[in-house]
Amino acid sequence: MEYLKAFVTGGILCLMGQILIDKTKLTPARILVSYVVVGVLLGGTGIYQKIVDFGGAGATVPLTGFGYNLAKGVTRAVNEQGFLGIFTGGLKSCAGGITAAILAGLVASLLFRPKDKS
């Protein structure tokens, strides 16, 4: 049942993104940034935690989950360090994911050569 909940949750998030791509003039980059911002806002208010409790990885893997992780890290750091936590919390909580993305990009750039689309 846990897999089904994750599939449905992630699927709904992807469906909303696809609808935005198809029905609006927003670029994919703006939609992706919007997903992160929505994740931060919902994470900061505690609403996204309920979605994560229901959907598990279906809620934490998409970009809204990245925003949620940023908000959670900032909240934790502010509680521990005070005002300085605003600047350090998000980076500390997402450092592993950011590092993995950079390393994956590096490996891909070493293995593959870009080609012209024409």
Side-chain angles (χ1 to χ4, degrees):
M1 193 61 162
E2 188 176 327
Y3 293 127
L4 180 62
K5 288 180 181 180
F7 178 77
V8 169
T9 304
I12 289 171
L13 289 170
C14 292
L15 175 67
M16 291 187 315
Q18 190 63 48
I19 290 170
L20 288 172
I21 289 171
D22 292 343
K23 301 293 183 186
T24 68
K25 294 186 183 217
L26 292 173
T27 63
R30 289 183 182 195
I31 294 170
L32 295 175
V33 170
S34 299
Y35 264 45
V36 173
V37 171
V38 166
V40 168
L41 294 175
L42 293 177
T45 59
I47 297 170
Y48 205 77
Q49 182 60 48
K50 294 175 184 166
I51 299 170
V52 169
D53 291 342
F54 174 79
T60 57
V61 171
L63 281 174
T64 49
F66 179 71
Y68 159 75
N69 197 20
L70 284 170
K72 190 170 73 171
V74 169
T75 303
R76 187 180 327 119
V78 166
N79 291 336
E80 293 172 2
Q81 302 172 352
F83 183 75
L84 188 60
I86 294 172
F87 305 107
T88 62
L91 260 142
K92 284 183 182 178
S93 69
C94 295
I98 293 170
T99 302
I102 290 171
L103 289 176
L106 175 65
V107 169
S109 72
L110 294 173
L111 294 178
F112 304 101
R113 297 286 171 231
K115 296 178 184 165
D116 238 353
K117 287 187 175 186
S118 55

XYZ file of all heavy atoms in Angstrom:
852
model
N 0.817 -1.191 0.000
C 0.000 0.000 0.000
C 0.870 1.269 0.000
O 0.481 2.279 -0.555
C -0.921 -0.046 1.229
C -2.016 0.959 1.170
S -3.047 0.639 -0.258
C -4.465 1.528 0.140
N 2.036 1.160 0.654
C 2.948 2.304 0.713
C 3.412 2.712 -0.688
O 3.503 3.898 -1.005
C 4.145 1.934 1.586
C 5.076 3.079 1.883
C 6.179 2.666 2.841
O 5.929 1.809 3.718
O 7.290 3.193 2.697
N 3.680 1.737 -1.546
C 4.115 2.022 -2.911
C 2.999 2.689 -3.714
O 3.262 3.589 -4.508
C 4.565 0.745 -3.622
C 5.822 0.140 -3.048
C 5.854 -1.191 -2.671
C 6.961 0.893 -2.882
C 7.004 -1.755 -2.150
C 8.118 0.346 -2.360
C 8.137 -0.974 -1.998
O 9.283 -1.514 -1.477
N 1.787 2.248 -3.501
C 0.649 2.837 -4.207
C 0.452 4.292 -3.799
O 0.234 5.157 -4.644
C -0.622 2.025 -3.931
C -1.887 2.531 -4.620
C -1.726 2.470 -6.140
C -3.096 1.723 -4.175
N 0.568 4.565 -2.505
C 0.442 5.949 -2.022
C 1.543 6.830 -2.615
O 1.293 7.959 -3.020
C 0.501 5.989 -0.500
C -0.721 5.450 0.182
C -0.531 5.549 1.691
C -1.699 5.004 2.456
N -1.490 5.108 3.913
N 2.772 6.319 -2.656
C 3.880 7.091 -3.226
C 3.654 7.336 -4.712
O 3.886 8.442 -5.214
C 5.199 6.352 -3.007
N 3.179 6.310 -5.419
C 2.919 6.435 -6.853
C 1.833 7.477 -7.119
O 1.976 8.329 -8.007
C 2.504 5.074 -7.420
C 2.166 5.108 -8.879
C 3.163 5.150 -9.837
C 0.845 5.104 -9.297
C 2.848 5.187 -11.188
C 0.522 5.141 -10.636
C 1.522 5.184 -11.590
N 0.765 7.431 -6.361
C -0.344 8.375 -6.553
C 0.102 9.792 -6.207
O -0.184 10.741 -6.948
C -1.565 7.951 -5.708
C -2.619 9.038 -5.671
C -2.151 6.658 -6.249
N 0.807 9.958 -5.109
C 1.259 11.292 -4.695
C 2.211 11.888 -5.733
O 2.023 13.028 -6.167
C 1.955 11.224 -3.324
O 1.056 10.642 -2.378
C 2.368 12.604 -2.854
N 3.226 11.142 -6.121
C 4.154 11.626 -7.142
C 3.463 11.856 -8.471
O 3.746 12.817 -9.184
N 2.522 10.974 -8.808
C 1.782 11.121 -10.053
C 0.943 12.383 -10.085
O 0.859 13.066 -11.110
N 0.318 12.712 -8.967
C -0.485 13.945 -8.901
C 0.405 15.175 -9.063
O 0.054 16.114 -9.783
C -1.288 13.989 -7.588
C -2.408 12.956 -7.630
C -1.854 15.384 -7.338
C -3.136 12.758 -6.312
N 1.570 15.161 -8.420
C 2.494 16.300 -8.562
C 2.952 16.440 -10.018
O 3.022 17.553 -10.550
C 3.694 16.126 -7.633
C 3.402 16.307 -6.150
C 4.588 15.871 -5.312
C 3.020 17.739 -5.845
N 3.253 15.328 -10.663
C 3.671 15.367 -12.072
C 2.522 15.773 -12.977
O 2.714 16.518 -13.940
C 4.224 14.010 -12.497
S 5.769 13.589 -11.698
N 1.318 15.304 -12.671
C 0.141 15.672 -13.455
C -0.101 17.172 -13.397
O -0.381 17.801 -14.431
C -1.089 14.916 -12.940
C -2.421 15.288 -13.589
C -2.432 14.848 -15.055
C -3.573 14.643 -12.835
N 0.036 17.749 -12.208
C -0.141 19.201 -12.084
C 0.898 19.947 -12.921
O 0.583 20.942 -13.570
C -0.060 19.628 -10.615
C -1.237 19.139 -9.806
S -1.354 19.733 -8.105
C 0.283 19.579 -7.472
N 2.134 19.462 -12.913
C 3.173 20.082 -13.736
C 2.869 19.971 -15.220
O 3.049 20.929 -15.976
N 2.384 18.813 -15.642
C 2.054 18.620 -17.058
C 0.890 19.511 -17.477
O 0.894 20.075 -18.575
C 1.712 17.156 -17.330
C 1.586 16.832 -18.803
C 2.887 17.042 -19.550
O 3.936 16.591 -19.129
N 2.830 17.736 -20.668
N -0.092 19.665 -16.606
C -1.211 20.564 -16.906
C -0.710 21.999 -17.047
O -1.127 22.726 -17.946
C -2.308 20.444 -15.827
C -3.008 19.091 -15.952
C -3.321 21.584 -15.937
C -3.948 18.759 -14.809
N 0.197 22.401 -16.165
C 0.762 23.754 -16.263
C 1.521 23.943 -17.571
O 1.444 25.003 -18.193
C 1.674 24.041 -15.075
C 0.979 24.248 -13.727
C 2.000 24.330 -12.606
C 0.124 25.497 -13.756
N 2.253 22.923 -17.996
C 2.986 23.012 -19.259
C 2.024 23.116 -20.439
O 2.209 23.934 -21.348
C 3.924 21.799 -19.443
C 5.099 21.887 -18.477
C 4.436 21.706 -20.881
C 5.967 20.648 -18.436
N 0.965 22.297 -20.413
C 0.034 22.240 -21.543
C -0.920 23.421 -21.608
O -1.257 23.888 -22.690
C -0.783 20.947 -21.498
C 0.051 19.714 -21.758
O 1.174 19.849 -22.291
O -0.418 18.605 -21.421
N -1.373 23.921 -20.478
C -2.455 24.895 -20.462
C -2.026 26.332 -20.192
O -2.853 27.236 -20.256
C -3.505 24.500 -19.402
C -4.113 23.135 -19.631
C -4.947 23.115 -20.883
C -5.602 21.744 -21.052
N -6.291 21.622 -22.312
N -0.769 26.551 -19.855
C -0.294 27.917 -19.602
C 0.890 28.226 -20.510
O 1.398 27.345 -21.204
C 0.148 28.097 -18.134
O 1.323 27.312 -17.892
C -0.958 27.690 -17.160
N 1.311 29.451 -20.471
C 2.483 29.855 -21.249
C 3.750 29.862 -20.395
O 4.774 30.390 -20.803
C 2.250 31.233 -21.858
C 1.150 31.228 -22.890
C 1.021 32.544 -23.590
C -0.151 32.438 -24.541
N 0.028 33.128 -25.763
N 3.663 29.258 -19.205
C 4.834 29.180 -18.336
C 5.877 28.249 -18.953
O 5.538 27.197 -19.501
C 4.443 28.649 -16.960
C 3.573 29.542 -16.087
C 3.132 28.792 -14.846
C 4.341 30.792 -15.700
N 7.118 28.637 -18.848
C 8.191 27.780 -19.330
C 8.445 26.671 -18.303
O 8.128 26.828 -17.121
C 9.493 28.578 -19.533
O 9.913 29.093 -18.263
C 9.293 29.710 -20.520
N 9.001 25.549 -18.740
C 9.314 24.486 -17.776
C 10.213 24.968 -16.633
O 10.036 24.537 -15.491
C 10.018 23.432 -18.627
C 9.415 23.605 -19.984
C 9.219 25.100 -20.118
N 11.145 25.861 -16.918
C 12.036 26.366 -15.864
C 11.239 27.127 -14.799
O 11.480 26.973 -13.607
C 13.102 27.267 -16.465
N 10.267 27.922 -15.223
C 9.456 28.666 -14.250
C 8.576 27.728 -13.441
O 8.339 27.951 -12.267
C 8.609 29.712 -14.965
C 9.462 30.840 -15.479
C 8.643 31.910 -16.108
N 9.565 32.936 -16.622
C 9.188 34.132 -16.966
N 7.926 34.479 -16.885
N 10.081 34.986 -17.408
N 8.103 26.686 -14.061
C 7.287 25.701 -13.341
C 8.147 24.985 -12.304
O 7.722 24.779 -11.159
C 6.634 24.715 -14.327
C 5.614 25.459 -15.199
C 5.974 23.559 -13.585
C 5.085 24.647 -16.361
N 9.366 24.628 -12.666
C 10.255 23.950 -11.723
C 10.576 24.838 -10.528
O 10.559 24.392 -9.374
C 11.538 23.516 -12.424
C 11.391 22.461 -13.519
C 12.721 22.209 -14.204
C 10.824 21.186 -12.969
N 10.854 26.113 -10.793
C 11.132 27.050 -9.707
C 9.889 27.228 -8.842
O 9.970 27.283 -7.616
C 11.624 28.405 -10.264
C 11.673 29.458 -9.181
C 12.996 28.241 -10.897
N 8.730 27.279 -9.474
C 7.477 27.398 -8.724
C 7.272 26.192 -7.815
O 6.801 26.337 -6.677
C 6.292 27.519 -9.680
O 6.418 28.656 -10.481
N 7.611 25.009 -8.291
C 7.480 23.803 -7.474
C 8.365 23.893 -6.233
O 7.941 23.521 -5.145
C 7.846 22.563 -8.292
C 6.657 21.865 -8.896
C 5.650 22.570 -9.529
C 6.538 20.486 -8.835
C 4.564 21.929 -10.076
C 5.452 19.837 -9.378
C 4.468 20.557 -9.999
O 3.384 19.913 -10.517
N 9.583 24.383 -6.387
C 10.472 24.518 -5.230
C 9.903 25.540 -4.251
O 9.864 25.298 -3.038
C 11.905 24.909 -5.669
C 12.777 25.209 -4.460
C 12.527 23.801 -6.496
N 9.421 26.664 -4.766
C 8.871 27.713 -3.896
C 7.629 27.207 -3.167
O 7.460 27.439 -1.964
C 8.564 28.991 -4.712
C 7.795 29.999 -3.884
C 9.856 29.599 -5.231
N 6.755 26.502 -3.870
C 5.564 25.932 -3.227
C 5.979 24.935 -2.145
O 5.391 24.907 -1.058
C 4.638 25.280 -4.281
C 3.585 24.403 -3.624
C 3.982 26.344 -5.131
N 6.996 24.140 -2.417
C 7.495 23.204 -1.411
C 8.012 23.911 -0.173
O 7.768 23.473 0.957
N 8.703 25.036 -0.368
C 9.206 25.814 0.769
C 8.038 26.386 1.564
O 8.002 26.304 2.801
C 10.150 26.944 0.295
C 10.435 27.920 1.425
C 11.453 26.371 -0.232
N 7.079 26.971 0.866
C 5.933 27.582 1.553
C 5.109 26.539 2.315
O 4.757 26.753 3.482
C 5.051 28.329 0.553
C 5.693 29.548 -0.110
C 4.761 30.129 -1.176
C 6.038 30.601 0.928
N 4.803 25.431 1.654
C 4.029 24.382 2.323
C 4.827 23.710 3.433
O 4.281 23.314 4.455
C 3.543 23.346 1.308
C 2.505 23.830 0.295
C 2.179 22.723 -0.701
C 1.259 24.325 0.976
N 6.140 23.586 3.227
C 6.998 23.014 4.269
C 7.118 23.926 5.469
O 7.099 23.468 6.613
N 7.222 25.215 5.222
C 7.335 26.181 6.313
C 6.074 26.280 7.150
O 6.124 26.558 8.349
N 4.930 26.037 6.536
C 3.657 26.104 7.268
C 3.269 24.773 7.902
O 2.307 24.715 8.656
C 2.520 26.555 6.329
O 2.413 25.642 5.238
C 2.760 27.960 5.810
N 3.998 23.704 7.561
C 3.710 22.398 8.133
C 2.716 21.575 7.333
O 2.444 20.421 7.669
N 2.173 22.135 6.267
C 1.193 21.418 5.448
C 1.851 20.282 4.683
O 1.297 19.182 4.564
C 0.483 22.396 4.482
C -0.306 23.425 5.283
C -0.407 21.658 3.510
C -0.846 24.572 4.452
N 3.060 20.524 4.162
C 3.713 19.509 3.335
C 4.085 18.268 4.140
O 4.182 17.179 3.596
C 4.938 20.096 2.626
C 5.289 19.348 1.366
C 4.555 19.541 0.210
C 6.327 18.431 1.331
C 4.853 18.853 -0.949
C 6.637 17.742 0.177
C 5.891 17.957 -0.953
O 6.178 17.265 -2.099
N 4.275 18.428 5.442
C 4.596 17.262 6.290
C 3.476 16.233 6.232
O 3.727 15.035 6.208
C 4.845 17.698 7.734
C 5.231 16.558 8.652
C 6.514 15.859 8.219
O 7.508 16.503 7.932
N 6.481 14.537 8.162
N 2.236 16.697 6.159
C 1.103 15.772 6.063
C 1.124 15.035 4.727
O 0.790 13.854 4.655
C -0.201 16.537 6.240
C -0.343 17.110 7.632
C -1.564 17.975 7.772
C -1.566 18.571 9.174
N -2.502 19.648 9.315
N 1.530 15.732 3.668
C 1.640 15.096 2.355
C 2.759 14.058 2.374
O 2.615 12.960 1.839
C 1.871 16.156 1.258
C 0.685 17.130 1.205
C 2.096 15.508 -0.100
C 0.916 18.348 0.331
N 3.874 14.390 3.015
C 4.997 13.447 3.129
C 4.589 12.234 3.964
O 4.927 11.097 3.622
C 6.233 14.146 3.751
C 7.310 13.152 4.128
C 6.786 15.186 2.798
N 3.853 12.464 5.040
C 3.396 11.342 5.872
C 2.516 10.398 5.072
O 2.570 9.188 5.261
C 2.625 11.855 7.089
C 3.526 12.584 8.085
O 4.760 12.408 8.024
O 2.983 13.345 8.909
N 1.710 10.929 4.160
C 0.846 10.086 3.340
C 1.615 9.450 2.186
O 1.572 8.250 1.988
C -0.328 10.900 2.791
C -1.169 10.125 1.821
C -2.104 9.216 2.279
C -1.017 10.279 0.451
C -2.878 8.479 1.399
C -1.771 9.550 -0.444
C -2.714 8.641 0.027
N 2.333 10.282 1.408
C 2.919 9.823 0.151
C 4.348 9.355 0.204
O 4.858 8.802 -0.766
N 5.050 9.557 1.301
C 6.438 9.108 1.421
C 7.323 9.657 0.318
O 7.370 10.859 0.072
N 8.013 8.756 -0.382
C 8.943 9.165 -1.430
C 8.241 9.834 -2.604
O 8.853 10.610 -3.333
C 9.741 7.963 -1.934
N 6.958 9.585 -2.777
C 6.208 10.259 -3.830
C 6.109 11.751 -3.590
O 5.882 12.522 -4.516
N 6.306 12.170 -2.343
C 6.270 13.588 -1.999
C 7.663 14.179 -1.791
O 7.863 15.370 -1.988
C 5.436 13.804 -0.741
N 8.632 13.357 -1.400
C 9.954 13.907 -1.093
C 10.898 13.932 -2.290
O 11.844 14.704 -2.299
C 10.633 13.117 0.044
O 10.727 11.747 -0.329
C 9.858 13.246 1.336
N 10.655 13.105 -3.292
C 11.556 13.048 -4.441
C 11.351 14.196 -5.431
O 12.322 14.753 -5.916
C 11.464 11.671 -5.137
C 12.218 11.655 -6.444
C 11.993 10.582 -4.208
N 10.114 14.603 -5.753
C 9.945 15.714 -6.709
C 10.499 17.023 -6.159
O 10.898 17.119 -4.997
C 8.420 15.803 -6.877
C 7.901 14.487 -6.457
C 8.839 13.989 -5.399
N 10.498 18.042 -6.988
C 11.069 19.329 -6.592
C 10.354 19.983 -5.422
O 10.961 20.737 -4.677
C 11.085 20.289 -7.783
C 12.226 20.034 -8.755
C 12.092 20.924 -9.977
C 13.564 20.250 -8.100
N 9.085 19.704 -5.241
C 8.406 20.229 -4.061
C 9.041 19.656 -2.798
O 9.123 20.336 -1.777
C 6.907 19.892 -4.092
O 6.756 18.499 -4.372
C 6.172 20.699 -5.134
N 9.511 18.433 -2.869
C 10.211 17.815 -1.746
C 11.540 18.501 -1.456
O 11.955 18.602 -0.302
N 12.196 18.990 -2.508
C 13.438 19.742 -2.307
C 13.149 21.031 -1.548
O 13.850 21.385 -0.602
C 14.097 20.043 -3.658
C 15.370 20.833 -3.558
C 16.518 20.270 -3.050
C 15.412 22.153 -3.969
C 17.693 20.993 -2.954
C 16.573 22.890 -3.886
C 17.722 22.305 -3.373
N 12.092 21.731 -1.945
C 11.704 22.951 -1.235
C 11.318 22.662 0.200
O 11.671 23.406 1.120
N 10.592 21.574 0.403
C 10.207 21.163 1.753
C 11.444 20.883 2.600
O 11.524 21.281 3.756
C 9.308 19.928 1.659
C 9.228 19.094 2.905
C 8.494 19.516 4.003
C 9.883 17.870 2.990
C 8.422 18.742 5.145
C 9.813 17.093 4.116
C 9.072 17.532 5.202
O 9.008 16.766 6.325
N 12.425 20.205 2.020
C 13.665 19.900 2.731
C 14.424 21.171 3.098
O 14.996 21.273 4.179
C 14.531 18.962 1.890
C 15.600 18.279 2.694
O 15.511 18.183 3.907
N 16.617 17.792 2.010
N 14.426 22.154 2.204
C 15.055 23.443 2.511
C 14.381 24.101 3.713
O 15.053 24.569 4.638
C 14.970 24.382 1.306
C 15.912 24.139 0.141
C 15.517 25.015 -1.043
C 17.339 24.423 0.547
N 13.049 24.157 3.682
C 12.311 24.790 4.775
C 12.531 24.066 6.092
O 12.699 24.697 7.145
C 10.828 24.845 4.435
N 12.531 22.742 6.037
C 12.737 21.947 7.250
C 14.130 22.202 7.826
O 14.295 22.337 9.038
C 12.542 20.466 6.922
C 12.501 19.569 8.128
C 12.064 18.157 7.775
C 13.170 17.434 7.041
N 12.898 16.001 6.862
N 15.134 22.276 6.947
C 16.499 22.533 7.402
C 16.660 23.913 8.024
O 17.327 24.072 9.044
N 16.026 24.907 7.416
C 16.099 26.265 7.965
C 15.410 26.318 9.325
O 15.937 26.908 10.277
C 15.475 27.287 6.982
C 15.292 28.632 7.648
C 16.343 27.423 5.751
N 14.249 25.695 9.431
C 13.522 25.688 10.706
C 14.353 25.037 11.805
O 14.465 25.570 12.917
C 12.182 24.942 10.555
O 11.424 25.567 9.524
C 11.392 24.954 11.841
N 14.944 23.901 11.481
C 15.780 23.198 12.463
C 16.984 24.048 12.867
O 17.312 24.155 14.053
C 16.244 21.857 11.895
C 16.964 20.985 12.892
C 17.422 19.637 12.335
N 16.562 19.072 11.327
C 16.944 18.818 10.077
N 18.163 19.077 9.676
N 16.101 18.282 9.212
N 17.650 24.656 11.888
C 18.845 25.456 12.182
C 18.505 26.715 12.974
O 19.269 27.113 13.853
C 19.556 25.820 10.883
N 17.364 27.324 12.696
C 16.968 28.517 13.453
C 16.698 28.139 14.907
O 17.069 28.876 15.828
C 15.730 29.190 12.807
C 15.104 30.199 13.745
C 16.128 29.855 11.503
N 16.072 26.984 15.120
C 15.821 26.537 16.497
C 17.111 26.240 17.248
O 17.177 26.452 18.456
C 14.926 25.294 16.499
C 13.519 25.615 16.063
O 13.060 26.747 16.181
N 12.822 24.614 15.553
N 18.142 25.775 16.526
C 19.405 25.436 17.175
C 20.359 26.617 17.276
O 21.037 26.786 18.285
C 20.098 24.308 16.402
C 19.371 22.986 16.459
C 19.980 21.951 15.525
O 20.986 22.249 14.854
O 19.426 20.837 15.450
N 20.455 27.443 16.205
C 21.480 28.477 16.128
C 20.938 29.895 16.195
O 21.712 30.845 16.239
C 22.262 28.335 14.830
C 22.922 27.008 14.644
C 23.509 26.862 13.250
O 23.299 27.692 12.379
N 24.226 25.780 13.035
N 19.648 30.061 16.096
C 19.079 31.403 16.074
C 19.098 31.980 14.663
O 18.967 31.257 13.671
N 19.286 33.285 14.585
C 19.197 34.013 13.321
C 20.149 33.477 12.248
O 19.798 33.421 11.077
C 19.474 35.500 13.562
C 19.331 36.346 12.345
C 18.078 36.662 11.843
C 20.448 36.833 11.686
C 17.935 37.438 10.708
C 20.326 37.608 10.553
C 19.056 37.919 10.062
N 21.339 33.067 12.634
C 22.321 32.561 11.670
C 21.818 31.312 10.942
O 22.192 31.046 9.800
C 23.649 32.269 12.371
C 24.836 31.923 11.487
C 25.144 33.065 10.522
C 26.051 31.592 12.310
N 20.940 30.567 11.557
C 20.387 29.367 10.952
C 19.608 29.635 9.676
O 19.454 28.757 8.836
N 19.112 30.856 9.505
C 18.403 31.219 8.273
C 19.315 31.033 7.064
O 18.887 30.591 6.002
C 17.904 32.680 8.343
C 16.839 32.830 9.422
C 17.374 33.148 6.997
C 16.440 34.259 9.694
N 20.572 31.345 7.231
C 21.518 31.306 6.116
C 22.176 29.943 5.925
O 22.625 29.618 4.832
C 22.597 32.376 6.313
C 22.028 33.753 6.498
C 22.028 34.367 7.738
C 21.449 34.424 5.428
C 21.482 35.626 7.908
C 20.900 35.684 5.584
C 20.913 36.283 6.836
N 22.255 29.154 6.981
C 22.987 27.884 6.896
C 22.099 26.649 6.845
O 22.517 25.615 6.339
C 23.940 27.742 8.100
O 23.164 27.727 9.305
C 24.950 28.865 8.142
N 20.898 26.730 7.357
C 20.048 25.553 7.504
C 19.690 24.861 6.205
O 19.773 23.635 6.095
N 19.276 25.631 5.206
C 18.881 25.043 3.933
C 20.028 24.321 3.253
O 19.859 23.227 2.712
N 21.194 24.939 3.282
C 22.362 24.314 2.650
C 22.770 23.037 3.364
O 23.101 22.041 2.718
C 23.531 25.297 2.636
C 23.689 25.963 1.285
C 24.068 27.400 1.439
C 24.728 25.220 0.507
N 22.743 23.051 4.676
C 23.128 21.852 5.432
C 22.162 20.708 5.163
O 22.570 19.560 5.024
C 23.176 22.151 6.925
C 24.384 22.919 7.355
C 24.385 23.111 8.855
C 25.581 23.917 9.301
N 25.564 24.151 10.755
N 20.885 21.011 5.093
C 19.910 19.931 4.929
C 19.903 19.356 3.522
O 19.518 18.205 3.332
C 18.509 20.417 5.300
O 18.026 21.347 4.359
N 20.323 20.133 2.540
C 20.273 19.671 1.140
C 21.643 19.383 0.557
O 21.756 19.097 -0.635
C 19.563 20.719 0.285
S 17.853 20.933 0.733
N 22.682 19.448 1.367
C 24.046 19.293 0.849
C 24.261 17.953 0.158
O 24.908 17.890 -0.894
C 25.057 19.471 1.975
N 23.719 16.891 0.698
C 23.902 15.572 0.091
C 23.279 15.489 -1.293
O 23.891 14.987 -2.241
N 22.059 15.987 -1.434
C 21.378 15.966 -2.734
C 22.048 16.854 -3.757
O 22.175 16.484 -4.934
N 22.489 18.029 -3.314
C 23.177 18.945 -4.225
C 24.495 18.335 -4.684
O 24.843 18.388 -5.869
C 23.403 20.317 -3.547
C 22.053 21.005 -3.311
C 24.323 21.194 -4.381
C 22.130 22.237 -2.442
N 25.234 17.732 -3.769
C 26.502 17.090 -4.116
C 26.288 15.947 -5.101
O 27.033 15.804 -6.077
C 27.203 16.573 -2.844
O 27.405 17.672 -1.959
C 28.527 15.919 -3.172
N 25.255 15.137 -4.866
C 24.966 14.028 -5.775
C 24.634 14.544 -7.169
O 25.074 13.972 -8.178
C 23.813 13.189 -5.231
N 23.867 15.628 -7.257
C 23.513 16.192 -8.558
C 24.745 16.720 -9.288
O 24.908 16.517 -10.500
C 22.482 17.300 -8.384
N 25.625 17.387 -8.565
C 26.845 17.917 -9.184
C 27.739 16.775 -9.671
O 28.272 16.817 -10.785
C 27.603 18.836 -8.198
C 26.805 20.127 -7.986
C 29.004 19.152 -8.701
C 27.332 21.006 -6.874
N 27.907 15.750 -8.842
C 28.746 14.620 -9.246
C 28.147 13.865 -10.429
O 28.875 13.442 -11.330
C 28.972 13.679 -8.071
C 29.884 14.215 -6.965
C 29.963 13.232 -5.804
C 31.269 14.532 -7.500
N 26.826 13.695 -10.442
C 26.182 13.028 -11.582
C 26.374 13.841 -12.855
O 26.642 13.278 -13.929
C 24.693 12.817 -11.301
N 26.279 15.157 -12.757
C 26.523 16.016 -13.914
C 27.963 15.918 -14.392
O 28.230 15.896 -15.599
N 28.900 15.851 -13.459
C 30.311 15.718 -13.816
C 30.567 14.399 -14.536
O 31.219 14.370 -15.585
C 31.188 15.811 -12.568
C 32.681 15.560 -12.775
C 33.288 16.655 -13.651
C 33.407 15.460 -11.457
N 30.043 13.314 -13.989
C 30.229 12.007 -14.619
C 29.608 11.987 -16.015
O 30.221 11.502 -16.973
C 29.646 10.883 -13.737
C 29.583 9.560 -14.477
C 30.460 10.736 -12.456
N 28.405 12.542 -16.152
C 27.747 12.583 -17.462
C 28.557 13.412 -18.452
O 28.684 13.051 -19.629
C 26.338 13.153 -17.337
N 29.150 14.518 -17.986
C 29.937 15.357 -18.891
C 31.229 14.667 -19.328
O 31.740 14.931 -20.414
C 30.258 16.699 -18.239
O 31.215 16.544 -17.205
N 31.756 13.787 -18.490
C 32.969 13.064 -18.848
C 32.681 11.888 -19.782
O 33.507 11.537 -20.617
C 33.680 12.561 -17.591
C 34.241 13.651 -16.662
C 34.775 13.022 -15.378
C 35.307 14.464 -17.364
N 31.516 11.278 -19.639
C 31.177 10.103 -20.437
C 30.592 10.435 -21.803
O 30.750 9.670 -22.748
C 30.190 9.217 -19.677
C 30.722 8.560 -18.409
C 29.617 7.763 -17.733
C 31.912 7.667 -18.717
N 29.897 11.555 -21.906
C 29.183 11.872 -23.141
C 29.645 13.197 -23.712
O 30.035 14.094 -22.991
C 27.675 11.925 -22.887
C 27.130 10.665 -22.298
C 26.857 10.574 -20.938
C 26.915 9.550 -23.083
C 26.360 9.413 -20.379
C 26.418 8.379 -22.544
C 26.141 8.317 -21.190
N 29.594 13.312 -25.017
C 29.960 14.545 -25.709
C 28.701 15.166 -26.304
O 27.900 14.480 -26.944
C 30.956 14.259 -26.828
C 32.262 13.714 -26.328
C 33.076 14.824 -25.673
N 34.237 14.226 -25.016
C 34.566 14.469 -23.764
N 33.839 15.251 -23.017
N 35.619 13.911 -23.241
N 28.507 16.462 -26.125
C 27.323 17.101 -26.693
C 27.385 17.129 -28.219
O 28.469 17.204 -28.807
C 27.353 18.508 -26.118
C 28.767 18.751 -25.738
C 29.342 17.407 -25.398
N 26.234 17.015 -28.839
C 26.139 17.064 -30.304
C 25.112 18.108 -30.692
O 24.200 18.411 -29.931
C 25.719 15.701 -30.841
C 26.735 14.619 -30.579
C 26.246 13.290 -31.098
C 27.280 12.228 -30.723
N 26.781 10.903 -30.847
N 25.254 18.622 -31.905
C 24.289 19.565 -32.439
C 22.955 18.863 -32.666
O 22.922 17.696 -33.043
C 24.791 20.111 -33.790
C 24.924 21.608 -33.783
O 24.512 22.227 -32.791
O 25.425 22.138 -34.782
N 21.851 19.573 -32.457
C 20.537 18.966 -32.665
C 20.199 18.819 -34.146
O 19.312 18.077 -34.502
C 19.464 19.795 -31.980
C 19.495 19.655 -30.488
C 18.317 20.363 -29.868
C 18.314 20.113 -28.388
N 17.117 20.649 -27.748
N 20.885 19.535 -35.009
C 20.547 19.487 -36.433
C 21.153 18.318 -37.151
O 21.830 17.491 -36.768
C 20.990 20.757 -37.122
O 22.372 20.997 -36.895
